[in-house]
Every structure is written in C-alpha cells, then in structure tokens.
C-alpha cells in the first residue's frame, strides 16, 4: 500500500534505473544548498549594519570656533563606570545619603540631572557618547574593542592637553594615539572580580595627586598644568567591577558610591588649592548603570539612567523648581524616557531644578565650558540648564549643520537620482536671520531660531543616515523570500512523494534544458544593477545583496515548469487536502509568530508547555495503555519545564539549588541507565533501548560520568565558599574546575551506540560544565530540559509504534513498503512538519528558560567566577556563550535521534528548520527598525 507524502502518492512510473541518478542529484543539490545558505545568511546578516547601524562618522567638515570667551581654563571629567542613578541619589537604610559632597554641590554650587544613555549600555559606547558626542554604531565592536576602529573627533582631541588615569580598556581608546596627552592605566590583573574593586578608583586618584605633587619640582610639568584648555579625565571602574561581582544592592557596591564621592571631593579640594583662580569646571557622571543582577547592556532604566552633576566655572547655580519649569510635551530622551520625569521623593531633591540630558549632550557642554569647537561628529545638543549662551548654542547648531551639509554633499555626488532634505533647503537664510537677530540684540528669538535649525539639522542627519533604507530592506526581504521559496521547492523535489510526471528525473532534465532564457535575463538584470550601483559609488556589499537576490529568483524561474505542474496538481486535489495543507501553513506561522513574541514575553512558553503537556498526554492516553506511564511522564515533564519561564530573568544566587541539581542529574542518569538495560522488552521503549548483548567497550563509563557530576557539585560549594570568604579564587579549585569541565565532555565519545544510552551519556557529559557555570535555578532547568527531551522522544516512539500497528492491521504490510528514499530513510509527510516546529520551540526555550535575549550581558557574568575572576572580556564571553550552547546541544542531539528513530531524512528536516527560522528572521528584520534608535523592550 502506498503512503501519502506531502503532495500525494509515489508514482509507480518512477523506474528503478532513475534512482541512482536521482540520489546523485539530491546529494549535489544538498551540498550546493548548504554552501549557498551559509553564504546567504552571512551576507544578509551584514546588511543589518548597512541598514540600521551605518557609521554616523563623516570627514571633511570645518570646525566651528566659538565667538565667546571661555568661562573655564580647565575641566575635570569624573566617570564612575557602572554607577546607576538611583543608588547614587537615594539614601541608605539609615537615611544617610551615600554622596554627601556631591549632594552639597547640587544644593549650593551647581546643576544636576539624569544622563540618559543609549543601548547598548556598555563602557565603550558610553564613553564615546560622553567624550565624542555621538552614538557609535554597533559594527565598530566587530572592528576592535580596545582601539579606535574608526577615527573620530573628541573633546580630548580639541584640548591643549589631556591628563587621564584609569582602566586599560577605556583610557587608551581616547589617549593611546593622542600626542598631547599624559595617561596611565593599571594592569589588567588588577581587575579581579573576587576582590573589592574600589581600590581601582583610589589608584586613579593617587596617580593624579602624584602628578600634581611632582609639578612642584618640575617646571616643565608646572607650565603644562597652567595652560588653558586642559582636560583631566579620571575613569573610576570600581562600581562596575563591584556591581558585576557583588550586585548593585550589595554593601561593597554601595560603599563604592561613597568612595567615588570622596574622590570627587578630594579632586575638587586638590585643584582649588592648586590653582586658586576659580577657573575649573567639574563634571561627574557615569557611562551606564547596572541591573539588579549585576549586568548591563540593554535598555532597562537601571542601565540607561546615570547621575550627572556639573559645577564650577561657567556653570549656573541651583535654582528652585517652579510650576512653569514643567511642560506637557511628549519629547523623549534617547532611551525613550519622557522629559520632565518626576523626581523620586526618596532622593529629596524634588525642590531643586533637575536638568536631564542625553548622554551625547555632555560633549558639547564640555566644549562650551572650555571655549573649544565641538567635536565635528557630535550630535549632542548643548543643555541650556547648565550653560546658557546664545553664541554657544549657535556654534553647536552650525557644527551639526556642517555634518548635515557634508552628508548631503557626499550623497548628492554619488546619487543618480538625488532627493534632498527639503526642510533645510533655505538653511542659509535661517543663518542670516539668526545673525540679524544677534545684531539687534534679540537674543531670545535668536536662541529659539538656533534651536529650531539645530533640530532640523538632526532630522536631516537621520534622513541621510537612512537614505538607502527602503531600497535595502526591499532587496533583503525579496532575497529571504526567494531563499525560502527555493528551499521549499528543493524539499518537495528531493524528500517527498510526488506524481511521476512532476518529479521524474528525465522530465527534470528536459525542463532544465529550456532555462537559458531565465539565466540570460538574470545576468542582464544583474549587469544593469551593478552598473547603476557602480555609478553611485555604492559599497561592495550592496552588489552582494542584489546579486544574491537576483540569483535566487533566477533559480526559481528555472523551476517554472515544475511550479506550473505543481500548481495544476494541487488544483486537481480534493478540497479536504487543500484545507489540510492551508491549515498546516497557518498553524506553523502562528507558532513561529508566538516564538517571535516570546522574545519579549517569556510567559508564552509557560502556557505553551501547560497546553501541549495536557494535549499530548490525552492523545497518548487514547492511543497506548496508561500502564506504560508515558502519558503521565510527558504531561508532568512539560508542566515542570513550564515553571522556569515564570521565574525572574535575574537569577538569584542559590548554591544549594545547584548542588541539589547535581543529585537530580545523577538520578535522571541512573533512571536512564536502568531503562536502557531493563525496559527494552517494553514495546513502547523498544525502539530507543540498546539491544546489543555484547559486553560494553567501557563498562565503567556511566560510573565515571556520575562521579564527575558529583565532583562538580562539590566544587561548586568549595569554590564559591572560598571565594566569598577569602575574596579570591583558589588556584587548585580553578584547575580542578577546568579539568572536570573539560574531561567530562570527552567521555560521551566512548558511549554505546544505542539511542537512549548515547543520549544519556551526552546528558551526563555536559552536566559538570553547566553546573560549574550555574549560580541558581538554571541548574535545575538543565535537568528539566533533559526530561522534556526524553518525553519528546518517547512521544514520537509511541506514535511510531501505533502507526506501525495500524498499518499492519490494515494492509498486512510493513509501514512504508514503497516509501523509502535510501538507507532506510522514508519520504517526508505532512505530519512530519511537527518535528521542525517542536525543535524550534525547544531550541528557543533552551535559551529563554534561563535568561533574556536583550544581550549577552543579560546573563550572569558571575557564572564564570569558578573558572576566572580577573577581567578578560573575550574569555568570559566565550564561557557565557558556551553555557548557553549546552542546552542547545541537548536539543540538537534529541532532534537528530528522532530523525533516526522515525527514519526521516535528517538534512530535509534541517532544511525545514532553516525555513522556519527564516520566517522569524524576516519578522525580526522589520522589528529592528523600532530599535535602531536604541529603543529596547525590557524583559517582562
């Protein structure tokens, strides 16, 4: 009896002589598609940088020299890395404020507010925004983190001399290639997360104090310090390191707030006593905040809200809040927080005017205080609440306008069909009007017109920044759609049963003999597009985007006759079949859309597993005897896993839970080993158990793996206890952890070939490194995920058994007697679509079960402290990524086991997985447009 495939029964006309040639054709096509898929996704992934994250830097603008006397001769910039606003402004449990000196400044000497950072809230982009005045595009990270991948202007460049002390990861970025600078950094080894890092802040201050002391004996240094346009930059890393290591609500972090306040006080006293001329300006701020779990990177307010205190020469004094200071406008800061946000009562500052700024606004403020030209790439607006001078605002406006004019000029010189930014067509007359108002001493009107022109210039910058957005988005979208259509055609041709007049090899060859016209049209079209792109001086990747899209659609046109025959075939099928096909498509899209929404709402997985667990168990209950225990097992494991996406993304430390998880893993492993040995006689377990009677190659393998799991639990306790008590990671503990994690992952290579025994060995082999990288409930998640994967395999095995019984009773023949491709691999059926869909759900829950996808920083950096505590960003990131990869590996192994169990083509199922993921990719591709200005939705 024939078996239904995706589109019908196997045609009896397909002769045996065509099978070898068809197999060769399928193998060649698979290899070609894999290579094409890798290239396509790599090229299209790069398109994100061209569409949303193109570098804002342009060169060739003239400097705008200010036309006013500078109020300050020197400026001190204090950046407390990782200091969040609320911890700085709020009192402690005893009602005492942690920053008494800076609070006194706020109330009596200067101005204050909240500086709003833009995601990604990391150290480098934060400092670039503060010092250079623009938001560096994320692609800069791929070009080098510790050095400038792109040359950009900064306040330090424009200064006469810059003095800087602090972290080796920040200071060299701005001073490493700056000839007029004096700087020093501490060794990387000082950045040890096992210690109290406030001594790093003291180191920076001590270096600066030592410099001033040396100047009393060094006339050359004395003359240097007495120059105007001097910038002093102290990078204070303590809060960031202590926040990562101990969380921002720990006593160590909160005490570090007092440390940076005391440093600010000592710097102020030191300089005022040294110069005694009241010509020094001071700015205290932070590059980013810190989440409750000790991480940063996303757009949560705890990461984007940082303190800002400005005082000294040229800065206005505090002013009480009045009713007219608040407006009802809906303008938002760069992190999407509204203007005129209410000041929390516990800060006890609601009676003093608060002036919030975007982080990039600090750069033009520093330039104005020193009387320097603004950095040429700055997009910051001079905050009027700190320094109000119409000439300064006009200089800021001209600097931004120059950027706009330069971008407009570059785009016009390259474009064949240039579309200008019409609102600024009469910018020259606006500048003349401002000058006339200044001559007439109508400063208020001149200020207003300058601000309007500056706003238009910023909009114009954004216009040219996204000039090619629509064209590129259309090209990439058509490319993805073409790839998915081509993938579907391949799956239908290679892995399904189709009528012989559609699929037969001889006809496929005949059809392709008339594809020359499609190839010729595609080549001609690509040639025309390439010439146009060349004339517009488009980047090389633009050619790649268009070439990939045109190539894919040319290949689809080559299959025109097959598509036409396929359409006729579908039209000839019954309405029930068409409805079934459409229903499968609709359900698949709904599931994939739910997966997309789960990126901002993890609780969707809870409902998913609660419902699926109930439905699957009821279905199995009606199909197999309840005494097998499989229906109950499937239901309970799904419900158990559903709990984890209800838990907070901020994983609390709980070493006892990690230790208990080690016991849980061993119990699961023991159960799996027992079932593998004893349950083979059960017809519902028969397909996954080991039936070989010979002696195992490594009879003690299971005991050795269980021992390593137990040792990892012991090392979790020992390493954490010693680090907490001694504030250091013991070298012996560190070596033991590396050995256990590394050696245990090799052991699964020596496991038996049985499906359950191999999966059990992989589960036990990767448990030790996962436990050593765990700090709380995610260790239990590892065991819960393993149980659900076994439940998935048991569910599929039960369906396979029931299907075989039904087919045997109906026809007396074996299942799929004529429905096999090769090597006992059968054709795909409509119902097999559940396999890649289930894989997609489990693959995503493997990620979201223990965190939030906002960024790699959303996962606990403290997870790596049992392997390394000295700051090493690449090694720490590698360990975090490896921790995330382990649950993925379990899901992939279960997926491969199921394709082997059901005898379906594994590569065909992987192609369907890629198809599903690309449907999600297109959705995310358009969602990115909502976050290209730094907007991110916090995890719920």
């Amino acid at each position: 009896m024939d078996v239904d495939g995706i589109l019908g029964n196997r045609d009896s006309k397909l002769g045996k002589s065509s099978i070898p040639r068809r197999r060769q054709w399928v193998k060649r096509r698979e290899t070609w598609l894999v290579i094409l898929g890798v290239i396509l996704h790599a090229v299209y992934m790069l398109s994100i940088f061209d569409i949303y994250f193109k570098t804002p830097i342009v060169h060739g603008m003239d400097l705008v020299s200010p036309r006013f006397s500078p109020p300050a001769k020197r400026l001190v910039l204090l950046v407390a890395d990782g200091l969040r606003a609320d911890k700085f402004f709020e009192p402690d449990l005893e009602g005492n404020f942690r920053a008494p000196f800076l609070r006194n400044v706020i109330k009596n000497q200067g101005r204050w507010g909240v500086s709003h950072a833009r995601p990604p809230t990391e150290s480098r982009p934060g400092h670039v925004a503060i010092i250079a005045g623009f938001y560096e595009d994320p692609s800069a990270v791929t070009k080098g983190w510790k050095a400038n991948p792109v040359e950009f202007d900064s306040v330090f460049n424009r200064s006469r001399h810059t003095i800087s002390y602090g972290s080796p990861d920040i200071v060299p970025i701005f001073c490493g290639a700056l000839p007029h600078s004096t700087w020093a950094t501490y060794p990387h080894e000082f950045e040890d997360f096992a210690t109290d890092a406030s001594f790093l802040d003291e180191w920076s201050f001590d270096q600066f104090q030592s410099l001033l002391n040396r100047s009393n004996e060094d006339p050359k240094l004395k003359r240097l310090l007495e120059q105007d346009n001097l910038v002093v930059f102290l990078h204070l890393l303590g809060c960031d390191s202590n926040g990562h290591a101990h969380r921002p609500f720990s006593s160590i972090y909160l005490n570090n707030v007092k440390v940076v306040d005391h440093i600010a006080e000592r710097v102020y006293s030191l300089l005022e006593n040294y110069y005694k001329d009241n010509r020094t300006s001071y700015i205290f701020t932070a590059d980013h905040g810190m989440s409750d779990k000790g991480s940063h990177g996303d757009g949560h307010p705890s990461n984007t809200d940082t303190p800002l205190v400005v005082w000294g020469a040229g800065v206005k004094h505090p002013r009480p809040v009045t009713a007219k200071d608040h407006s009802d406008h809906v303008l938002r800061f760069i992190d999407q927080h509204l203007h005129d946000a209410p000041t929390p009562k516990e800060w006890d500052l609601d009676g003093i005017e608060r002036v919030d700024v975007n982080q990039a606004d600090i750069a033009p403020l520093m330039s104005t205080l020193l009387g320097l030209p603004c950095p040429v790439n700055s997009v910051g607006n001079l905050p009027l609440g700190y320094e109000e001078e119409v000439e300064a605002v006009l200089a800021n406006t001209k600097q931004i306008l120059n950027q706009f004019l330069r971008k407009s000029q570059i785009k016009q010189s390259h474009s064949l069909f240039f579309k200008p930014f019409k609102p600024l067509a009469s910018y020259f007359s606006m500048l003349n009007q401002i000058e006339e108002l200044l001559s007439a001493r109508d400063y208020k009107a001149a200020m207003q017109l300058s601000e309007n022109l500056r706003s238009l210039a910023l909009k114009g910058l954004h216009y040219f920044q996204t000039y090619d957005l629509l064209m590129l988005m259309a090209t990439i979208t058509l490319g993805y759609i073409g790839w998915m259509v081509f993938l579907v055609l391949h799956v239908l041709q290679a892995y399904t049963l189709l009528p012989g007049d559609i699929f037969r090899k001889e006809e496929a060859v005949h059809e392709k003999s008339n594809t020359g016209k499609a190839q010729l049209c595609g080549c001609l079209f690509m040639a025309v597009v390439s010439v146009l792109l060349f004339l517009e001086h488009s980047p090389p990747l633009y050619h790649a985007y268009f070439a990939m899209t045109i190539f894919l659609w040319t290949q689809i046109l080559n299959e025109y006759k097959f598509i036409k025959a396929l359409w006729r075939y579908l039209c000839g099928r019954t309405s029930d079949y068409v409805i079934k096909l459409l229903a499968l498509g609709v359900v698949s899209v709904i599931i994939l859309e739910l997966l997309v929404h789960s990126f901002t709402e993890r609780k969707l997985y809870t409902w998913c597993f609660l419902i699926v667990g109930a439905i699957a168990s009821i279905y199995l209950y009606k199909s197999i005897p309840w005494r097998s225990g499989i229906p109950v097992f499937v239901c309970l494991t799904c419900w158990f896993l559903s709990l984890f996406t209800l838990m907070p993304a901020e994983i609390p430390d709980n070493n006892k839970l990690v230790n208990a998880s080690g016991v849980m893993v061993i119990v699961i492993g023991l159960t799996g080993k027992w079932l593998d040995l004893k349950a083979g006689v059960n017809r519902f377990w028969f397909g996954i158990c080991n039936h070989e009677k010979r002696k195992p190659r490594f009879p003690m393998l299971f005991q050795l793996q269980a021992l390593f799991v137990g040792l990892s639990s012991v090392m979790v306790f020992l390493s954490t206890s010693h680090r907490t008590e001694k504030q250091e990671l013991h070298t012996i503990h560190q070596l033991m952890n590396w050995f256990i994690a590394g050696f245990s992952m090799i052991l699964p290579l020596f496991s038996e070939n049985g499906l359950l025994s191999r999966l059990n060995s992989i589960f036990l082999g990767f448990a030790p490194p996962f436990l050593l990288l765990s700090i709380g409930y995610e260790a239990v998640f590892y065991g819960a995920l393993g149980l659900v994967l076994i439940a998935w395999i048991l569910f599929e095995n039960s369906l396979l058994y029931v299907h075989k019984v039904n087919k045997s009773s109906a026809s007396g023949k074996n299942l799929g007697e004529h429905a096999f491709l090769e090597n006992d691999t059968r054709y795909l059926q409509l119902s097999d679509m559940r396999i890649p869909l289930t894989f997609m759900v489990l693959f995503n829950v493997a990620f979201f079960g223990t965190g939030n996808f906002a960024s790699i920083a959303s996962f606990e950096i403290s997870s790596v402290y049992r392997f390394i505590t000295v700051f090493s960003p690449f090694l720490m990131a590698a360990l975090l990524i490896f921790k995330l990869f382990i649950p993925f590996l379990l899901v992939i192994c279960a997926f491969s086991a199921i394709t082997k169990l059901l005898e379906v083509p594994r590569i065909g199922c992987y192609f369907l997985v890629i198809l599903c993921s690309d449907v999600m990719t297109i959705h995310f591709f358009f969602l990115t447009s909502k976050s290209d200005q730094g907007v991110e939705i916090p995890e719920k």
Side-chain angles (χ1 to χ4, degrees):
M1 182 177 179
D2 293 337
V3 179
D4 282 345
I6 287 184
L7 291 173
N9 297 332
R10 181 172 182 245
D11 193 345
S12 59
K13 294 181 182 181
L14 188 60
K16 293 183 178 180
S17 62
S18 67
I19 293 178
R21 283 185 295 168
R22 182 189 171 197
R23 289 177 181 173
Q24 294 176 3
W25 172 80
V26 170
K27 291 295 183 184
R28 287 197 305 269
R29 179 66 82 80
E30 287 175 349
T31 303
W32 181 78
L33 269 177
V34 169
I35 296 172
L36 176 65
V38 171
I39 296 174
L40 177 139
H41 286 88
V43 170
Y44 283 176
M45 183 177 65
L46 293 175
S47 71
I48 292 295
F49 296 116
D50 280 324
I51 295 173
Y52 297 117
F53 304 122
K54 187 181 297 183
T55 177
I57 297 175
V58 289
H59 300 284
M61 292 86 66
D62 294 329
L63 293 173
V64 180
S65 299
R67 301 185 302 192
F68 57 88
S69 300
K73 289 184 63 176
R74 66 202 67 86
L75 181 139
V76 177
L77 175 63
L78 303 173
V79 178
D81 201 310
L83 176 58
R84 51 193 269 183
D86 58 342
K87 300 302 178 186
F88 175 79
F89 290 118
E90 70 185 15
D92 57 24
L93 296 177
E94 298 177 356
N96 300 318
F97 292 98
R98 303 185 182 99
F101 168 73
L102 289 172
R103 286 187 66 84
N104 181 66
V105 167
I106 291 171
K107 292 185 175 182
N108 300 298
Q109 289 180 258
R111 308 308 298 271
W112 76 285
V114 172
S115 172
H116 298 268
R118 167 180 166 172
T121 45
E122 302 289 347
S123 291
R124 179 191 169 103
H127 281 87
V128 169
I130 293 170
I131 299 168
F134 73 94
Y135 300 102
E136 193 172 26
D137 60 300
S139 63
V141 178
T142 65
K143 302 173 186 176
W145 184 258
K146 297 184 180 180
N148 284 344
V150 180
E151 290 297 326
F152 57 80
D153 195 16
S154 71
V155 176
F156 294 176
N157 292 18
R158 299 296 155 201
S159 69
R160 194 176 303 275
H161 199 86
T162 295
I163 299 170
S164 180
Y165 299 105
S167 167
D169 300 305
I170 296 299
V171 172
I173 293 176
F174 302 96
C175 299
L178 194 64
H180 54 278
S181 65
T182 301
W183 60 277
T185 65
Y186 38 76
H188 277 287
E189 292 73 23
F190 280 23
E191 300 178 35
D192 191 339
F193 290 119
T195 64
D196 180 353
S198 60
F199 78 94
L200 299 176
D201 302 341
E202 295 289 353
W203 183 95
S204 298
F205 172 77
D206 291 342
Q207 294 296 311
F208 178 58
Q209 185 180 38
S210 175
L211 179 77
L212 293 183
N213 292 336
R214 289 201 311 272
S215 70
N216 294 323
E217 301 173 359
D218 186 343
K220 184 178 179 181
L221 180 58
K222 184 78 171 180
R223 287 194 300 270
L224 184 148
L225 292 173
E226 289 178 348
Q227 294 180 114
D228 59 356
N229 296 336
L230 178 71
V231 175
V232 177
F233 169 47
L234 297 186
H235 178 245
L236 311 175
L237 185 64
C239 287
D240 185 74
S241 297
N242 284 328
H244 286 311
H246 309 288
R247 312 293 173 85
F249 47 80
S250 65
S251 59
I252 293 179
Y253 179 91
L254 299 177
N255 182 70
N256 209 143
V257 179
K258 300 178 182 179
V259 172
V260 296
D261 177 74
H262 188 44
I263 287 176
E265 181 180 14
R266 285 183 286 167
V267 167
Y268 175 72
S269 299
L270 194 65
L271 289 176
E272 292 303 307
N273 292 329
Y274 186 88
Y275 289 107
K276 300 178 181 178
D277 59 359
N278 295 322
R279 295 291 304 277
T280 307
S281 298
Y282 303 86
I283 295 180
F284 176 90
T285 188
D287 55 346
H288 56 74
M290 184 74 61
S291 70
D292 287 343
K293 58 181 179 176
S295 65
H296 52 83
D298 60 20
H300 192 274
S302 62
N303 289 327
T304 61
D305 289 359
T306 61
L308 177 62
V309 183
V310 185
W311 75 101
V315 182
K316 293 190 294 185
H317 280 68
R319 195 177 73 173
V321 175
T322 58
K324 64 179 182 180
D325 290 332
H326 295 275
S327 59
D328 296 327
H329 58 60
V330 292
L331 293 177
R332 293 176 180 268
F333 288 102
I334 197 70
D335 59 358
Q336 291 300 292
H337 294 177
L338 286 171
H339 281 247
D340 295 326
T343 301
K345 291 290 185 182
E346 59 270 20
W347 293 6
D348 193 26
L349 293 172
D350 48 340
I352 303 173
E353 184 184 26
R354 166 181 166 182
V355 185
D356 286 10
V357 301
N358 286 322
Q359 198 169 58
D361 299 342
I362 298 175
L365 173 61
M366 291 193 291
S367 297
T368 300
L369 291 172
L370 288 172
L372 298 172
C374 288
V376 293
N377 299 117
S378 171
V379 294
N381 293 323
L382 178 64
L384 300 181
Y386 294 88
E387 162 63 44
E388 190 166 345
E389 171 66 55
V390 66
E391 287 286 359
V393 175
L394 180 58
N396 182 212
T397 299
K398 288 180 177 179
Q399 171 265 321
I400 295 175
L401 184 62
N402 282 350
Q403 288 186 74
F404 162 79
L405 294 174
R406 180 58 180 162
K407 285 196 174 186
S408 177
Q409 179 188 2
I410 293 172
K411 182 56 68 175
Q412 186 174 7
S413 65
H414 293 169
S415 298
L416 298 176
F417 311 99
F418 178 69
K419 294 181 180 180
F421 183 66
K422 294 181 180 179
L424 278 178
S426 58
Y427 75 91
F428 195 73
S429 63
M430 295 178 71
L431 285 175
N432 288 335
Q433 188 178 353
I434 294 172
E435 294 293 346
E436 291 174 0
L437 291 170
L438 288 175
S439 300
R441 298 182 180 274
D442 190 352
Y443 298 123
K444 184 176 181 181
M447 178 78 75
Q448 184 65 45
L449 192 56
S450 296
E451 290 180 338
N452 292 341
L453 180 57
R454 182 175 62 184
S455 177
L456 287 175
L458 287 171
K459 292 179 180 177
L461 284 176
H462 183 265
Y463 172 79
F464 286 113
Q465 188 76 9
T466 58
Y467 190 86
D468 298 327
L469 184 143
L470 184 61
M471 175 191 70
L472 291 176
M473 288 191 71
T475 302
I476 301 301
T477 302
L478 285 174
Y480 267 117
I481 294 174
W483 162 253
M484 291 188 290
V485 170
F486 193 54
L487 208 58
V488 169
L489 293 177
H490 171 72
V491 170
L492 293 178
Q493 290 177 334
Y495 311 112
T496 65
L497 286 164
L498 293 171
D501 59 339
I502 296 177
F503 186 74
R504 193 165 44 189
K505 181 65 179 176
E506 290 83 359
E507 291 196 12
V509 173
H510 176 70
E511 288 171 12
K512 294 183 184 295
S513 64
N514 295 321
T515 60
K517 292 182 179 179
Q519 299 282 5
L520 179 61
C521 291
C523 291
L524 289 175
F525 185 52
M526 185 61 226
V528 172
V529 171
S530 295
V531 169
L532 292 174
L533 292 174
F534 178 78
L535 292 175
E536 291 202 341
H537 298 85
S538 298
L541 278 176
Y542 281 31
H543 295 261
Y545 304 148
F546 278 94
M548 192 68 70
T549 300
I550 294 171
F551 173 78
L552 286 168
W553 283 100
T554 301
Q555 296 302 310
I556 293 171
L557 288 177
N558 286 342
E559 304 290 344
Y560 168 74
K561 290 187 177 180
F562 173 78
I563 295 172
K564 187 176 180 180
L566 181 62
W567 176 255
R568 288 198 302 266
Y569 177 79
L570 287 174
C571 292
R573 294 301 299 256
T574 62
S575 59
D576 290 344
Y577 181 81
V578 175
I579 292 173
K580 184 179 179 181
L581 194 62
L582 290 174
L584 176 64
V586 170
V587 171
S588 300
V589 171
I590 290 174
I591 291 174
L592 295 176
E593 285 300 304
L594 288 175
L595 290 179
V596 171
H597 288 291
S598 70
F599 276 62
T600 53
E601 184 54 79
R602 294 168 62 225
K603 293 177 183 177
L604 286 174
Y605 290 110
T606 297
W607 288 106
C608 171
F609 281 97
L610 286 175
I611 295 171
V612 169
I615 293 176
S617 61
I618 293 172
Y619 182 84
L620 289 178
Y621 181 76
K622 293 182 177 179
S623 304
I624 63 177
W626 65 272
R627 291 187 301 274
S628 66
I630 295 177
V632 176
F633 177 76
V634 170
C635 182
L636 293 179
T637 54
C638 288
W639 287 3
F640 182 36
L641 189 65
S642 71
L643 299 175
F644 290 91
T645 45
L646 290 176
M647 296 182 182
E650 295 82 7
I651 303 175
D653 288 338
N654 193 331
N655 288 315
K656 293 181 180 179
L657 198 58
V658 178
N659 294 329
S661 300
V663 177
M664 174 185 173
V665 168
I666 294 174
V667 170
I668 294 173
L670 281 171
T671 306
K673 182 68 174 178
W674 180 84
L675 290 172
D676 190 38
L677 296 174
K678 304 296 183 181
V681 295
N682 189 317
R683 59 185 182 275
F684 303 110
W685 292 79
F686 184 81
I688 64 173
C689 293
N690 188 7
H691 308 295
E692 297 181 0
K693 301 299 182 182
R694 63 183 180 85
K695 186 178 179 180
R697 293 177 297 170
F698 301 96
M700 298 299 292
L701 178 64
F702 172 80
Q703 290 84 342
L704 183 60
Q705 288 189 296
L707 175 63
F708 271 94
V709 175
L711 282 176
S712 64
S713 296
V714 173
M715 292 309 300
V716 165
F717 173 76
L718 292 178
S719 301
T720 306
S721 300
H722 186 271
R723 182 174 62 85
T724 303
E725 294 174 5
K726 305 294 184 180
Q727 292 196 353
E728 65 175 358
L729 176 62
H730 200 291
T731 303
I732 295 178
H733 294 166
Q734 186 178 20
L735 293 175
M736 283 288 294
N737 293 337
W738 280 105
F739 172 76
I740 292 171
F743 191 74
S744 65
M745 291 185 292
I746 302 174
L747 296 179
L749 297 175
F750 305 99
S751 62
E752 298 302 311
N753 293 326
L755 190 149
L756 184 59
S757 59
R758 175 63 59 87
L759 289 175
N760 195 37
S761 182
I762 293 172
F763 174 75
L764 291 172
F766 284 87
F770 194 85
L771 291 175
L772 289 169
L773 288 167
S774 297
I775 62 170
Y777 71 78
E778 79 270 36
V780 184
F781 172 80
Y782 181 83
L785 181 64
L787 291 173
V788 166
L789 294 176
I790 292 297
W792 183 25
I793 295 172
L794 289 175
F795 179 82
E796 294 292 348
N797 191 53
S798 301
L799 291 185
L800 180 65
Y801 173 80
V802 172
H803 198 47
K804 284 182 177 180
V805 170
N806 292 340
K807 285 291 182 180
S808 178
S809 62
S811 62
K813 298 181 180 180
N814 290 332
L815 173 66
E817 184 180 8
H818 304 289
F820 283 82
L821 283 160
E822 58 178 271
N823 299 328
D824 295 327
T825 301
R826 65 172 175 81
Y827 287 94
L828 289 174
Q829 304 173 26
L830 269 179
S831 59
D832 290 328
M833 191 63 194
R834 73 183 183 278
I835 301 172
L837 288 174
T838 305
F839 173 82
M840 290 296 296
V841 173
L842 291 172
F843 198 81
N844 279 271
V845 82
F847 200 102
F848 285 105
T850 58
N852 168 19
F853 195 61
S855 73
I856 189 67
S858 294
F859 296 87
E860 300 293 347
I861 195 172
S862 56
S863 299
V864 306
Y865 291 165
R866 299 185 188 106
F867 293 93
I868 182 173
T869 57
V870 176
F871 181 63
S872 178
F874 296 107
L875 179 57
M876 288 179 166
L879 287 170
L880 283 173
I881 292 171
F882 176 68
K883 177 187 176 183
L884 304 180
F885 174 75
I886 292 175
F888 294 162
L889 180 67
L890 294 185
V891 177
I892 293 170
C893 290
F895 176 76
S896 298
I898 285 174
T899 58
K900 181 179 180 180
L901 179 69
L902 301 183
E903 299 176 328
V904 294
R906 184 177 304 168
I907 188 69
C909 289
Y910 274 119
F911 282 143
L912 291 176
V913 168
I914 294 172
L915 179 67
C916 293
S917 64
D918 285 336
V919 172
M920 296 175 62
T921 298
I922 290 181
H923 193 140
F924 283 119
F925 183 62
F926 286 95
L927 279 179
T928 309
S929 63
K930 297 181 180 180
S931 60
D932 68 328
Q933 296 302 312
V935 181
E936 290 195 10
I937 302 173
E939 180 63 52
K940 296 181 180 179

